[in-house]
Amino acid sequence: MTVVMEKPGKTESARPAAPVKEARRPSRFMMVAGIVVLWLVLFAVLRGKQTLALAAADLTDLHRWFNDVNDSIGANRNSNPLFLYFFNEIRLVIDTLVTFVQELISQPSGDRPLPQIGWLGVVGIAGYVSWAVGNWRVALLAVAGFTFLGLQGLWQESMDTLALTLTAVFVALLFAIPIGVWAGLSDRFNRIVTPFLDFMQTMPTFVYLAPLTLFFLIGGASATIATAIYAAPPTIRITAHAIRNVSRTTVEAADSLGATRRQSLLKVLLPMSKRTVVMGVNQTIMAALAMVTIAALINAPGLGVVVLQALQSLDVGTAFNAGLAIVVMAIVLDRVTTAAAAREENARRSNNRLLKWRRPLLGAGAAVTAVLVYLSHTFLWAADFPGDGTVGSHIASAADSATNWAQDSLSGVTNAIRDVITNGLLNPFQTLVTDSPWWLVGAVLVALSVVLGGWKSGVTTAVCLGLLVGTGLWSDAMTTLASTLVATVLVMALGIVFGVWMGRSMMVDRLIRPTLDAAQVMPPFVYLVPFLALFGPTRFTAIVAAIVYGAPVAMKIIADGIRAVPETTVEAATSAGCNTWQIITKVQLPMSRSALTLATNQGLIYVLSMVVVGGLVGAGALGYDVVAGFSRGELYGKGLAAGLAIVLLGVMFDRITQAAARRATA
Amino acid sequence: MARHWRAGAAGLAVLGLTLTACGGAKVGDSSSAGSESSGKCGTFNLAINPWVGYEADAAVVAYVAQHNLGCTVNKKNLKEEIAWQGFGSGEVDTVLENWGHPDLVKKYIDQQKTAVDAGPTGNEGLIGWYVPPWLAKAHPDILDHKNLNKYASKFKTSESGGKGQLLDGDPSYVTHDEALVKNLKLDFKVVYAGSETALIQAFRTAEKNKQWLIGYFYEPQWFLSEVPLKKVSLPPYKDGCDADAAKVACDYPVYKLNKIVSAKFAKSGSPAYNLVKNFNWTNDDQNEVAKYIAQDKMTDEAAAKKWVEANKDKVDAWLK
């Protein structure tokens, strides 16, 4: 039970001041320890009873009911007016939109064997837009990045991905910004919408891919809608946050000047929160790109298809090449939107001499871009990316030999690590949660969340656990819970080591950060094969994949937290004769406690979002149920229930860690 | 100021126009040749299910449909369940390699009547338990299921809870391995690798590092030409011995793989339907094309071209 104890244990050593709190803190630690001891004792007595286990092929009534609903929708979709006049219309609009963008940049249109705008035009537009909304540095990056995609031999695939991403982001923003504004203005609406956002972000996309094709048929529309559903929440949350953070006095000033609600919204609130909203858009774009490989499962064209097909024949090199293209595109889009968010501020600060030339330069740039677009529309050399993608095949073969080397020379070490962690940590813990009676585990979790997060989070936990029992997948959920917590502990261990290192040295930060970005954007499907070779199809492979995805977030948050510790405090400690180790453990870590809890929260959520990927590499449990539900009709309801169980675990973890974080900072 | 940039823009436009004079080949110059014959066949929506053997079938059928019949082939990458769903909405015309799937047959052929059987592909699907070749060589008696318990402890892994591990793959596979283990009283636990990729990688590693591994696998499969896995014999299949899923204690039947087409497509009179109906080849044929794709890393199109050119007589028979 080291897992749950770890957090309070660490916050324990923190906090040199505040003697009043000090008196209460050990008691909380003692309570946690007491609960755990009691659990172990009861476990020894009651082991194996009332564990609510369900075999792989067995179903509950709930699962069958989901199946029936699914079947009846499929059977009635051509006669039901809801479909004829509602879903089909939506589908038509979105399909038209996707097809329009695709014919513009990626797919042959009409009699043309090539899209309307060829590579030269797209590169030109990318450079010009990046420069116009950002600065010349990101424009250069955009041009270089897009050219690189062509050199990789993946021009058309990249443009398909770009077209789909842009459409999905557009559709998502169309809804997300108004909803976000509303949620920012009304606390009540915000409370209503938050659970839905949680749901949209934690529900594994595998679960709703099949139903989406039922509603919106196979093809661009379904893929766009699936992506938009997953990608919209960040913009909604961040927009609401931005609106709420506009200073009260400014709004009041506008009101006192007689501005109507509409005026104060359009002239005050929106302009003042624009910068933050753009950051939300940035997050939405990143989330949309993360869906590229998954959407390929319902025939979304693009880089995802390359990754998936390469995976079928275990062709790591080709998959890596396509994954790299996704990373490059993500980095370009990320840097451009970040620069766009910062542009106005920078422009205001810089002197006006350049500003005077801005308009003519913009005009000239537009003209050049127009010429490039025209050339790429007309001439073959500017429309079809020249060259045969040799850079891509070099990258692929380099990735192949690196993987082979790693597989040949590391598998002894990796197997040893796997066995130590599986036997020493994962198996005992998993046995404890899956072999205890369900009510005992439930009681322990509720008690822990009351102790760590207060009564409110105790109630949330109880509700979540009750629903979890209702899904009929309690045992699988507990198996997943065990792996998730073990992965989170490892994420936090790495997060603290690297986060502190990065936080203390700007140079280390600059060296490591690009790798972290890449690890977050690289589709997990790409590194599954090497991990399978290193660790075999086991739960541990899934844990490693989750760490690759979850640790970067934790590292970044902790690094920022460490950097936020006031310089003067560190200097004071140094002059008092503390050595580096003491500064880290007695000053920097304790003072960035809120960053640590936030990192734990985010680490957990990210790890949880990899549960389904884990199901593909031998983690079993909920992840496997979800994948199985996607591939087999008779297991559809069970997969849906498993998806719900993942959401419930996510909500539970999130509320406990957030409440604990509030307590820690209070 | 405005005059300034207008002048600049005009200048650039002129520059652009002059550039176009020496531009080279124009888009669409040479595109008239292929479009002529495409009138009769129209579009042909072909589902691509995610395994290489299927990709090989699809590559060859698509190649012939495109080059001999002038069809516009729309390949759609879909899992089986979703592909069958597409029959009703007219978005999928054909699934080329179907492995049983009684649930889908019941739902889409018997109940919704949106799909029909278009006959065998000629491929025979063998499902069973396989071991890496080194193991079959070192312990030949392992190829009989009666001896499996003797070696159970050797197959233990961190996932199998003290028993021997029997590795299963993708959830869409047809399997009764859990029932088999129970009914044959084997000291094994079924562990789900979760994907075909995981399963193949596990066998590849096992052969390379001489590890003990037994798992679900199937033929025809390109991977068998890289590592020729050996099949373990189970009690022979008799008609109806798999009628009750919980009581199965016999080997898997030999699946006659077949083609499924949408009801609409079957009635459309499209030459592509005739091609699909007549399409028939052997496991060796499929393995050859699959090998071109998976191991020689040829594109689908190139692999199909190579095979079609070497097997003119077979292709001609399909086109009758």
Side-chain angles (χ1 to χ4, degrees):
Chain A
M1 235 348 281
T2 45
V3 182
V4 179
M5 273 164 48
E6 183 103 341
K7 208 161 5 107
K10 212 160 275 140
T11 44
E12 188 57 16
S13 62
R15 182 130 305 201
V20 187
K21 287 262 163 86
E22 195 77 349
R24 257 184 60 200
R25 228 152 256 283
S27 79
R28 196 188 294 170
F29 175 70
M30 292 301 289
M31 277 157 77
V32 170
I35 293 168
V36 172
V37 170
L38 195 67
W39 185 10
L40 289 173
V41 172
L42 286 173
F43 168 74
V45 183
L46 298 164
R47 179 169 187 171
K49 283 176 195 150
Q50 290 164 310
T51 56
L52 300 183
L54 188 72
D58 287 352
L59 301 176
T60 70
D61 288 341
L62 179 77
H63 306 160
R64 282 192 205 95
W65 184 74
F66 283 144
N67 280 344
D68 293 344
V69 172
N70 191 36
D71 288 351
S72 69
I73 291 173
N76 296 325
R77 87 168 304 289
N78 286 327
S79 50
N80 191 324
L82 190 64
F83 275 101
L84 292 179
Y85 302 107
F86 183 68
F87 291 121
N88 287 2
E89 299 297 319
I90 296 180
R91 162 171 194 268
L92 209 64
V93 171
I94 293 184
D95 227 20
T96 316
L97 193 66
V98 175
T99 316
F100 171 73
V101 182
Q102 279 184 330
E103 289 187 347
L104 217 53
I105 58 173
S106 67
Q107 296 282 352
S109 65
D111 324 328
R112 284 172 65 83
L114 288 166
Q116 297 289 344
I117 304 177
W119 70 271
L120 191 66
V122 174
V123 170
I125 294 173
Y128 175 68
V129 171
S130 313
W131 175 65
V133 303
N135 53 48
W136 64 268
R137 263 186 247 107
V138 293
L140 217 60
L141 179 76
V143 169
F146 274 64
T147 313
F148 181 70
L149 299 176
L151 293 175
Q152 280 186 290
L154 293 168
W155 181 259
Q156 202 210 329
E157 289 86 349
S158 305
M159 287 306 109
D160 269 324
T161 292
L162 184 67
L164 219 65
T165 308
L166 290 181
T167 323
V169 169
F170 174 75
V171 172
L173 294 185
L174 219 56
F175 294 96
I177 290 181
I179 293 176
V181 170
W182 189 5
L185 294 174
S186 152
D187 282 342
R188 185 144 156 246
F189 183 67
N190 193 40
R191 269 199 303 276
I192 297 172
V193 89
T194 304
F196 286 101
L197 299 182
D198 291 342
F199 192 83
M200 286 158 79
Q201 282 187 298
T202 34
M203 187 61 147
T205 37
F206 270 79
V207 174
Y208 55 81
L209 274 187
L212 270 179
T213 59
L214 209 55
F215 284 95
F216 300 107
L217 304 183
I218 296 155
S222 291
T224 309
I225 293 169
T227 310
I229 291 176
Y230 180 70
T235 294
I236 299 179
R237 284 186 213 267
I238 294 175
T239 305
H241 174 79
I243 295 278
R244 205 165 297 126
N245 276 14
V246 172
S247 83
R248 275 282 151 76
T249 48
T250 325
V251 182
E252 274 161 20
D255 285 344
S256 68
L257 286 171
T260 60
R261 275 196 71 151
R262 191 190 157 79
Q263 279 171 332
S264 76
L265 178 65
L266 291 179
K267 306 275 174 198
V268 181
L269 286 171
L270 280 181
M272 287 193 73
S273 49
K274 198 163 85 187
R275 200 193 139 188
T276 320
V277 173
V278 176
M279 290 317 294
V281 174
N282 169 297
Q283 289 300 303
T284 290
I285 294 176
M286 293 298 114
L289 272 175
M291 277 287 290
V292 167
T293 10
I294 309 246
L297 291 169
I298 50 171
N299 196 40
L303 295 166
V305 178
V306 184
V307 172
L308 285 184
Q309 274 188 348
L311 209 61
Q312 285 166 26
S313 51
L314 281 68
D315 183 352
V316 181
T318 306
F320 179 80
N321 191 38
L324 188 65
I326 296 175
V327 172
V328 168
M329 195 179 292
I331 287 177
V332 168
L333 294 176
D334 173 64
R335 300 300 187 266
V336 170
T337 41
T338 311
R343 194 189 73 82
E344 266 182 67
E345 214 163 293
N346 290 343
R348 224 176 294 131
R349 255 189 275 123
S350 71
N351 53 8
N352 270 347
R353 206 159 52 83
L354 266 173
L355 220 58
K356 202 172 61 180
W357 286 97
R358 190 171 160 76
R359 294 190 85 197
L361 280 174
L362 276 177
V368 174
T369 312
V371 171
L372 294 180
V373 169
Y374 170 75
L375 288 177
S376 75
H377 178 78
T378 317
F379 294 104
L380 213 51
W381 59 267
D384 202 8
F385 201 92
D388 49 1
T390 37
V391 175
S393 49
H394 285 312
I395 292 172
S397 63
D400 261 337
S401 36
T403 320
N404 284 337
W405 173 84
Q407 287 170 7
D408 290 345
S409 48
L410 297 179
S411 64
V413 186
T414 51
N415 284 339
I417 296 174
R418 175 193 71 198
D419 289 344
V420 165
I421 291 184
T422 307
N423 294 326
L425 196 58
L426 184 56
N427 279 345
F429 183 48
Q430 186 178 322
T431 313
L432 183 63
V433 289
T434 54
D435 284 8
S436 296
W438 67 271
W439 48 267
L440 176 60
V441 181
V444 167
L445 286 173
V446 171
L448 283 176
S449 71
V450 168
V451 171
L452 296 174
W455 283 109
K456 261 190 175 170
S457 78
V459 172
T460 315
T461 308
V463 172
C464 287
L465 290 170
L467 292 171
L468 212 50
V469 173
T471 61
L473 293 169
W474 175 266
S475 180
D476 282 354
M478 288 304 112
T479 309
T480 296
L481 177 120
S483 320
T484 308
L485 289 182
V486 168
T488 309
V489 169
L490 296 174
V491 161
M492 286 309 288
L494 285 172
I496 289 172
V497 170
F498 282 89
V500 168
W501 196 21
M502 284 164 68
R504 291 172 56 84
S505 153
M506 213 48 208
M507 201 181 72
V508 174
D509 188 291
R510 234 174 269 136
L511 285 175
I512 293 182
R513 205 167 274 261
T515 318
L516 300 186
D517 289 344
Q520 280 186 283
V521 186
M522 180 65 85
F525 289 83
V526 173
Y527 47 77
L528 288 187
V529 172
F531 283 4
L532 280 166
L534 290 175
F535 303 105
T538 58
R539 284 162 295 157
F540 188 69
T541 308
I543 289 178
V544 177
I547 291 173
V548 170
Y549 187 60
V553 194
M555 291 175 193
K556 286 179 187 173
I557 294 175
I558 293 173
D560 287 345
I562 296 284
R563 204 164 296 129
V565 173
E567 199 87 342
T568 46
T569 322
V570 179
E571 272 163 23
T574 317
S575 62
C578 290
N579 60 27
T580 312
W581 176 248
Q582 284 166 330
I583 289 177
I584 293 173
T585 54
K586 304 277 180 206
V587 181
Q588 287 178 319
L589 278 180
M591 287 192 70
S592 48
R593 184 196 290 151
S594 70
L596 286 176
T597 37
L598 178 65
T600 315
N601 175 290
Q602 288 297 298
L604 255 172
I605 301 297
Y606 273 63
V607 165
L608 207 56
S609 69
M610 289 286 282
V611 164
V612 175
V613 171
L616 294 171
V617 290
L622 293 182
Y624 181 85
D625 293 337
V626 169
V627 179
F630 178 62
S631 347
R632 299 185 77 130
E634 75 270 24
L635 293 178
Y636 168 75
K638 194 178 187 182
L640 180 55
L644 289 172
I646 293 174
V647 173
L648 290 168
L649 285 178
V651 170
M652 189 174 83
F653 283 140
D654 179 63
R655 297 301 183 271
I656 297 177
T657 44
Q658 275 194 9
R662 271 197 297 277
R663 281 203 161 184
T665 41
Chain B
M1 190 53 56
R3 210 178 301 142
H4 254 288
W5 75 258
R6 250 181 238 146
L12 278 164
V14 170
L15 179 72
L17 289 173
T18 35
L19 267 174
T20 59
C22 52
K26 287 189 178 173
V27 173
D29 270 352
S30 57
S31 70
S32 53
S35 59
E36 195 182 334
S37 58
S38 67
K40 206 172 127 209
C41 175
T43 51
F44 170 34
N45 296 310
L46 182 56
I48 314 284
N49 292 168
W51 58 89
V52 183
Y54 189 115
E55 219 183 313
D57 290 358
V60 170
V61 169
Y63 183 86
V64 175
Q66 214 165 343
H67 289 85
N68 299 45
L69 302 175
C71 309
T72 312
V73 182
N74 262 344
K75 289 188 181 178
K76 301 191 173 176
N77 294 287
L78 302 165
K79 279 241 186 187
E80 296 102 300
E81 166 78 7
I82 309 233
W84 285 66
Q85 213 177 289
F87 288 139
S89 55
E91 298 193 292
V92 172
D93 293 330
T94 300
V95 165
L96 272 178
E97 185 179 299
N98 173 51
W99 286 72
H101 291 294
D103 56 319
L104 295 176
V105 168
K106 193 174 143 214
K107 188 161 154 189
Y108 293 100
I109 295 187
D110 300 342
Q111 289 171 0
Q112 299 189 9
K113 301 194 193 312
T114 52
V116 290
D117 188 332
T121 62
N123 291 139
E124 294 197 331
L126 290 181
I127 294 178
W129 297 353
Y130 289 76
V131 292
W134 80 265
L135 186 57
K137 206 168 164 204
H139 303 272
D141 60 333
I142 211 163
L143 294 179
D144 186 345
H145 74 275
K146 287 185 197 113
N147 300 322
L148 282 177
N149 273 343
K150 194 168 87 185
Y151 296 109
S153 64
K154 295 276 194 184
F155 289 107
K156 249 193 272 181
T157 68
S158 63
E159 308 302 297
S160 60
K163 296 178 174 177
Q165 170 183 280
L166 175 70
L167 196 64
D168 260 38
D170 189 284
S172 56
Y173 290 168
V174 179
T175 169
H176 353 272
D177 286 356
E178 281 193 24
L180 275 170
V181 165
K182 201 171 127 219
N183 298 331
L184 295 175
K185 301 197 173 49
L186 297 175
D187 191 20
F188 278 76
K189 183 186 173 195
V190 179
V191 171
Y192 294 92
S195 61
E196 181 166 304
T197 307
L199 193 61
I200 294 179
Q201 184 61 51
F203 273 117
R204 186 184 268 176
T205 316
E207 174 63 12
K208 198 171 179 186
N209 301 342
K210 304 244 179 305
Q211 288 160 343
W212 287 71
L213 183 71
I214 179 165
Y216 180 107
F217 215 72
Y218 66 90
E219 303 173 36
Q221 231 290 355
W222 65 273
F223 179 66
L224 296 177
S225 58
E226 181 188 321
V227 178
L229 303 176
K230 294 282 175 278
K231 194 165 182 293
V232 175
S233 72
L234 292 168
Y237 176 83
K238 279 191 220 85
D239 234 7
C241 74
D242 56 355
D244 184 350
K247 292 193 182 130
V248 178
C250 60
D251 207 342
Y252 292 88
V254 175
Y255 286 88
K256 300 273 184 209
L257 303 187
N258 62 336
K259 301 155 285 191
I260 309 288
V261 296
S262 87
K264 261 181 253 163
F265 182 60
K267 286 186 214 122
S268 68
S270 159
Y273 172 65
N274 274 331
L275 169 66
V276 169
K277 203 158 175 278
N278 294 337
F279 169 71
N280 199 292
W281 65 352
T282 64
N283 281 10
D284 288 341
D285 290 329
Q286 191 199 71
N287 282 343
E288 196 179 337
V289 180
K291 183 183 159 289
Y292 295 154
I293 295 172
Q295 277 172 292
D296 307 344
K297 302 197 176 172
M298 290 165 76
T299 63
D300 288 10
E301 168 122 23
K305 185 165 187 251
K306 188 169 172 186
W307 187 87
V308 166
E309 278 166 8
N311 294 277
K312 279 246 157 46
D313 47 331
K314 285 188 186 174
V315 175
D316 286 341
W318 303 339
L319 290 171
K320 257 182 229 158

